[in-house]
Amino acid sequence: MATGQIAAIVLAAGQGTRMKSSLHKVLHPVGGRPMINHLLHTLQSINPARTLIVIGALGHQLQDALSGVSFATQNEQLGTGHAVQCALPALDDFDGDLLVLYGDVPFVSDATMQRMIATRDATENCGLVVLGFHTTDPAAYGRLVTNADGSLERIVEFKDASAEERAITLCNSGMMLIAGQHARRWLAQLTNNNVAGEYYLTDLVEIVRKDGHAASVVETDETELMGVNSRAELAAAETIFQQQARAQAMADGATLVAPETVFFSHDTRLGKDVTVEPNVVFGPGVVVEDGVTIKSFSHLDGAIVRAGASVGPYARLRPAADIGAGAKVGNFVEIKKATLAEGVKVSHLTYLGDATIGAGANIGAGTITCNYDGFLKYQTIIGAGAFIGSNSALVAPVTIGDGAIVGAGSVITKNVDADALVVSRARQRQIDGYAAGFRDEKQAEKTAKAQEKSQTKEKTKD
């Protein structure tokens, strides 16, 4: 069966009440990306013919946030079987297999999805493939009861399970692949004749087997099937994501000095021989090329750091920061929407925004580009080899020519020619002996006030 003959149905109609949020549960981020987007990204690898999201409460948020998918609405939450039934009208012209997934289970791998498809193809007369997992703490999960040949006999809910069945550690994830040519007929046979009054997707096992078809099980690791229903589970999912990202970064040739203190985003890219010191945070959209050092307590977001550069400690790279090869960005430097060419040095206590810095330029401590007038942003251009003295303010729009020198403490409001020296500050004036006289005068004043206070205190005692 070609994978293009699959429709992915992602269930995301739950109320999400345990999250206690005005944001839809599946839009909460893991690794800087909404958890449902992790799943949708993985789905691309199996190239489903359709991807359909079943929505309910706060469904408009999903419609606004997601593209390239279709939506079906489950107005009443009457169980997982009912949710899939609600998706069927949108698939009237589709007769391929149905892959049922959950929007709040973000880590299901493409390899697992492919194994479900392969099992369906390889098993004679297979009507259903259920995804299961082993766990040392099965708790209240439904149990997968299998036959001697490994086929699935039934799914038993915990509350209905015997002591023998509760001892089974193979549990139901809720995700399954349903043979498309029979799916509508089988789903139509689901009933809500139970205490909860809900239509359970798990009842399909019995329906499929009674119809003379086989039901199979594919097992995967428990961490792939973690559901996120609360803030605590969201934090646990983030922990899993970060552990996997750190392991992958080191496997790809980066050194993490203290891995547990480094935090990645879903799209962070580190080159080979990158060194990341403790307590570094990578936000979305960061690319770090080979041989870079990111020093402690730096935060990068939407930035590119080119080969051999050094960043930090305590540096902040904001979106559209482009740090050139071999450049140095030191402690307490913030860079936003600025391009630094090769070999630029910005060693400390500096803000560069909306700027272009030429190769080999040296930016002194305390320099800022004044890029915003309260209404609009403006560009600062600093030429190659220029030297900007400490505590300078460059009021944009302004251009500093190649090789120019800006004297320390200057406020630059006009363009500076190449190789020129510019100084913009008040003329220094010296008054000899003033400081000594000032100290004598102030000391006498201080002594007089102390005597006055002492005399007042003595009169109060009398």
Side-chain angles (χ1 to χ4, degrees), residues 414-438:
K414 297 179 180 179
N415 293 346
V416 179
D417 292 338
D419 295 320
L421 167 66
V422 62
V423 180
S424 174
R425 56 182 182 235
R427 182 179 295 276
Q428 184 170 311
R429 179 186 175 200
Q430 179 173 311
I431 303 175
D432 292 337
Y434 177 86
F438 176 80

Side-chain angles (χ1 to χ4, degrees), residues 283-288 299-305 317-323 335:
V286 175
V287 176
V288 179
H299 189 129
L300 293 74
D301 188 7
I304 180 168
V305 184
L317 302 186
R318 293 170 56 194
D322 187 336
I323 311 304
I335 297 178

Side-chain angles (χ1 to χ4, degrees), residues 371-404:
N371 57 324
Y372 182 52
D373 64 1
F375 297 92
L376 298 171
K377 299 286 184 72
Y378 302 93
Q379 287 285 319
T380 296
I381 299 173
I382 300 174
F387 180 88
I388 311 300
S390 296
N391 200 35
S392 294
L394 310 179
V395 183
V398 69
T399 297
I400 311 298
D402 293 350

